[in-house]
């Protein structure tokens, strides 16, 4: 398509790619889980019209699953009143004949979620229903130990920063900046790994503790799986803006998953504001249920509401708890206090306009971010106003790089095309690898990991990049 690179994209027909596995194994399961979710909501309602529409939705989802499993041609998205239908169908027309098992992976996966959305949009009672909402809040609830621990540490850190504007024990400006850099990198790495990281690394805020953190064995163990780590470059940019006395310092975060990952994104946002590395944070959520767990504006509201009354949230039994008879122990008074502190802190930032949500249908379009300057110039111009735009997660990375089969040594600044050098946009990608595309590796890096157990070896597949075990943190200074 227009505005995309000439390098071929990954395709669901390629047996050596994760695209092949996704189309045949993952997607039917996702649709089945969606059908189960709708059945549960039908069972819980007394509204006859909603029940009738719900049964129609189940039938439509089952039909979509049949098309997918029997490798039918992708059919045009019906006119559901949304402005992106024409673009999706124009691209589909250009790909003809496009069958589920032989189509560009990026487009077909976006198309899948857009098709699911269109089913709901054609109803009255289910228009804004999110078939993934139950899963999102369930995973957040299951992350309780990490949430509670991070809440305590966050409260200590931001209270110290906001009351004293320093880190205790830092005697010089150089020591303070060094400590801030380590803290910034640690919180970003928690953001990168989610609850897979060792949260106990985030110490109480003292210069001595942060020095220990830098030498921590556990931190080194997590860092060794970050194949490229440009966090120091990102910190340098934010620190320079802060030291220059620039009044407005904005950081944008193009969000990925809801639940615990959104929680740690808020931890990062709150830290940046409390430390003065930013004065404004702009969150970019999705506008329709997307890739199962992606953040919608209502997910942000649900998380904040859970923190407003954490005891009720964590003591409410899930369906699984009721079936097993499991009871969750209550939170301690201190834990409730720490979580409510987060609620107050983040709500204040939000009410004062320092933390805003800015959805845009571009984030759920069928193509890559290479198209941004041409197809959504207003959004591109807006992102140029930011000091740093952080793109979270695997899908955003695939879209940045157009999900193309680049050689692994291709420079990141080249693979992101129009968002690279000279774009006016500073890009930081925080990505754990869960798909084939990867760029910016040193010579021989890809081959070295392929040779490890489960890495893909001589199969032709880059299997090491499918598991989430490895990560890249890559920076491009489009303002340079």
């Amino acid at each position: 398509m227009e505005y995309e690179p000439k390098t071929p994209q990954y395709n669901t027909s390629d047996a050596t790619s994760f695209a092949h596995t996704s189309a045949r194994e993952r997607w039917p399961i996702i649709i089945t889980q969606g059908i189960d979710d709708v059945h549960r909501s039908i069972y819980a309602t007394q509204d006859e019209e909603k029940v009738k529409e719900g049964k129609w939705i189940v039938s439509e989802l089952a039909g979509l699953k049949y098309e997918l499993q029997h490798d039918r041609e992708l059919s045009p998205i019906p006119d559901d009143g949304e402005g992106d239908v024409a673009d999706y169908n124009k691209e589909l027309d250009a790909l003809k004949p496009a069958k589920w098992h032989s189509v560009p992976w990026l487009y077909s996966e976006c198309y899948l979620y857009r098709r699911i959305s269109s089913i709901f949009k054609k109803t009255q009672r289910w228009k804004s229903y999110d078939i993934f909402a139950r899963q999102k809040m369930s995973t957040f609830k299951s992350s309780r130990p990490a949430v509670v621990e991070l809440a305590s540490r966050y409260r200590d850190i931001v209270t110290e920063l906001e009351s004293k504007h320093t880190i205790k024990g830092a005697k010089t400006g150089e020591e303070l900046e060094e400590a801030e850099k380590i803290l910034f990198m640690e919180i970003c790495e928690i953001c990168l790994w989610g609850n897979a990281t060792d949260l106990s690394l985030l110490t109480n805020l003292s210069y001595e503790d942060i020095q220990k953190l830098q030498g921590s064995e556990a931190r080194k163990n997590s860092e060794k799986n970050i194949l490229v780590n440009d966090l120091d470059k990102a910190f340098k940019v934010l620190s320079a803006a802060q030291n220059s006395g620039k009044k407005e310092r904005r950081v944008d975060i193009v969000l990925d998953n809801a639940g615990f990952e959104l929680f740690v994104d808020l931890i990062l946002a709150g830290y940046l504001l409390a430390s003065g590395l930013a004065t404004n944070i702009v969150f970019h959520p999705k506008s329709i249920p997307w890739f199962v767990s992606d953040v919608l504006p209502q997910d942000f509201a649900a998380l904040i509401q859970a923190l407003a009354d954490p005891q009720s949230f964590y003591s409410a039994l899930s369906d699984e708890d009721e079936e097993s008879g499991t009871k969750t122990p209550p939170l301690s008074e201190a834990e409730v206090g720490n979580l409510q502190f987060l609620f107050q802190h983040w709500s204040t930032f939000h009410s004062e306009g320092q933390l805003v949500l800015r959805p845009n249908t571009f984030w759920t379009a069928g193509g890559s971010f290479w198209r941004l300057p041409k197809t959504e110039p207003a959004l591109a111009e807006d992102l140029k106003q930011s000091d740093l735009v952080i793109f979270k997660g695997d899908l955003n990375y695939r879209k940045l790089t157009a999900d193309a089969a680049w050689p692994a040594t291709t420079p990141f600044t080249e693979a992101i095309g129009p968002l690279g050098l000279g774009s006016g946009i500073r890009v930081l990608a925080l990505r754990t690898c869960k798909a084939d595309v990867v760029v910016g590796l040193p010579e021989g890096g890809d081959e070295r990991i392929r040779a490890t157990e489960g890495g893909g070896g001589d199969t032709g597949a880059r299997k090491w990049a499918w598991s989430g075990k490895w990560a890249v943190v890559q920076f491009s200074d489009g303002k340079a």
Side-chain angles (χ1 to χ4, degrees):
M1 286 295 288
E2 199 177 11
Y3 314 129
E4 299 281 12
K6 291 185 170 57
T7 304
Q9 290 188 317
Y10 287 97
N11 195 292
T12 58
S13 63
D14 179 1
T16 68
S17 75
F18 195 47
H20 189 273
T21 303
S22 286
R24 290 157 181 79
E25 296 175 21
R26 288 175 59 244
W27 296 349
I29 291 170
I30 288 166
I31 297 172
T32 301
Q33 289 171 339
I35 290 170
D36 290 345
D37 178 86
V38 175
H39 270 302
R40 286 169 68 179
S41 291
I42 291 171
Y43 181 74
T45 185
Q46 302 298 315
D47 182 333
E48 287 185 20
E49 189 58 33
K50 189 172 183 180
V51 169
K52 183 181 174 184
E53 286 188 338
K55 289 178 178 177
W56 177 81
I57 288 167
V58 166
S59 169
E60 290 293 300
L61 289 172
L64 177 60
K65 180 181 170 184
Y66 181 90
E67 285 178 38
L68 169 55
Q69 291 184 305
H70 292 80
D71 194 24
R72 298 291 193 256
E73 278 197 35
L74 279 65
S75 56
I77 291 172
D79 185 2
D80 55 21
E82 298 298 322
D84 61 351
V85 173
D87 287 337
Y88 263 98
N89 289 341
K90 180 183 175 186
E91 185 150 357
L92 181 58
D93 203 46
L95 291 171
K96 281 184 176 177
K99 292 187 172 183
W100 281 103
H101 294 171
S102 54
V103 68
W105 185 23
L106 182 61
Y107 173 81
S108 57
E109 196 159 19
C110 294
Y111 165 91
L112 170 67
Y113 289 95
R114 186 61 187 83
R115 268 285 299 277
I116 292 171
S117 174
S118 75
I119 293 170
F120 289 88
K121 286 182 184 297
K122 290 177 78 67
T123 67
Q124 290 302 314
R125 303 285 206 278
W126 299 76
K127 267 188 193 300
S128 58
Y129 186 81
D130 178 3
I131 54 171
F132 309 123
R134 230 185 290 257
Q135 283 175 258
K136 294 175 194 177
M137 289 313 283
S138 173
T139 56
F140 181 58
K141 188 173 279 193
S142 68
S143 301
R144 169 177 158 168
V147 168
V148 165
E149 183 175 350
L150 262 181
S152 170
R153 298 185 185 282
Y154 175 88
R155 184 176 187 174
D156 289 342
I157 287 168
V158 300
T159 301
E160 182 82 15
L161 285 170
E162 290 180 333
S163 63
K164 299 179 182 173
H165 307 292
T166 189
I167 292 173
K168 60 188 174 192
K171 299 180 181 66
T172 65
E174 288 76 17
E175 285 186 353
L176 179 60
E177 185 165 339
E178 181 195 1
E180 283 179 340
K181 177 182 172 183
I182 296 167
L183 199 56
F184 169 80
M185 292 179 73
E186 180 63 23
I187 291 174
C188 284
E189 286 180 22
I190 287 171
C191 245
L192 169 70
W193 294 112
N195 51 358
T197 193
D198 181 354
L199 300 178
S200 63
L201 295 179
L202 196 56
T203 57
N204 289 330
L205 194 63
S206 77
Y207 182 68
E208 289 74 21
D209 285 339
I210 290 169
Q211 288 298 297
K212 291 174 194 166
L213 171 65
Q214 191 174 32
S216 158
E217 196 60 39
R219 190 163 196 272
K220 287 176 187 169
N221 285 337
S222 72
E223 277 200 328
K224 74 175 187 287
N225 285 359
I226 304 176
L227 303 174
V228 181
N229 194 342
D230 290 339
L231 282 174
D232 57 336
K233 296 176 183 174
F235 176 78
K236 190 175 179 182
V237 159
L238 296 181
S239 183
Q242 183 181 22
N243 294 334
S244 73
K246 186 180 175 190
K247 193 176 176 184
E248 294 283 320
R249 301 183 301 282
R250 174 178 144 190
V251 172
D252 287 57
I253 303 178
V254 182
L255 297 168
D256 186 33
N257 294 328
F260 184 78
E261 189 171 334
L262 176 59
F263 178 80
V264 292
D265 292 339
L266 280 159
I267 292 278
L268 173 61
Y271 163 72
L272 291 173
L273 293 170
S275 66
L277 286 169
T279 60
N280 301 86
I281 305 288
V282 180
F283 276 165
H284 297 269
K286 306 301 188 298
S287 48
I288 60 172
W290 191 248
F291 282 67
V292 181
S293 51
D294 280 31
V295 179
L296 301 175
Q298 55 262 42
D299 295 321
F300 175 84
L303 189 147
I304 294 293
Q305 196 55 44
L307 297 177
D309 187 3
Q311 196 70 273
S312 295
F313 175 72
Y314 281 112
S315 60
L317 292 179
S318 66
D319 293 346
E320 291 77 13
D321 291 338
E322 286 181 2
E323 287 167 13
S324 65
T326 305
K327 282 196 175 181
T328 310
L331 295 166
S332 70
E333 198 174 317
E335 289 170 340
V336 170
N338 290 332
L339 291 168
Q340 288 181 331
F341 173 86
L342 264 61
F343 167 75
Q344 291 293 344
H345 203 239
W346 294 341
S347 297
T348 300
F349 283 141
H350 189 241
S351 65
E352 292 179 357
Q354 287 183 275
L355 176 61
V356 299
L357 272 70
R358 203 169 288 170
N360 190 298
T361 54
F362 177 78
W363 306 121
T364 52
S368 81
F369 296 161
W370 276 56
R371 302 177 184 183
L372 175 61
K374 297 293 185 184
T375 62
E376 200 65 47
L379 176 58
E381 286 302 313
D382 181 50
L383 294 178
K384 289 178 186 179
Q385 309 311 308
S386 184
D387 288 284
L388 183 69
V389 184
I390 301 172
F391 289 86
K392 291 289 309 294
D394 191 72
L395 175 63
N396 282 326
Y397 189 90
R398 286 171 59 197
K399 287 204 161 203
L400 281 168
T401 58
D403 204 36
W406 303 102
T409 53
T410 307
F412 178 67
T413 51
E414 179 185 326
I416 64 175
L419 297 192
L421 300 179
S423 65
I425 300 172
R426 284 200 188 102
V427 171
L428 179 69
L430 294 181
R431 183 248 186 157
T432 53
C433 303
K434 295 173 185 173
D436 301 79
V437 61
V438 63
V439 297
L441 300 192
E443 199 71 48
D446 180 30
E447 292 78 6
R448 176 181 63 81
I449 311 174
R450 282 193 198 224
T452 62
E453 186 179 354
D458 299 327
T459 63
R462 188 179 283 153
K463 286 189 176 178
W464 67 262
W466 302 355
S467 66
K469 176 184 175 182
W470 304 90
V472 289
V473 178
Q474 292 170 314
F475 176 73
S476 168
D477 192 348
K479 295 184 191 289

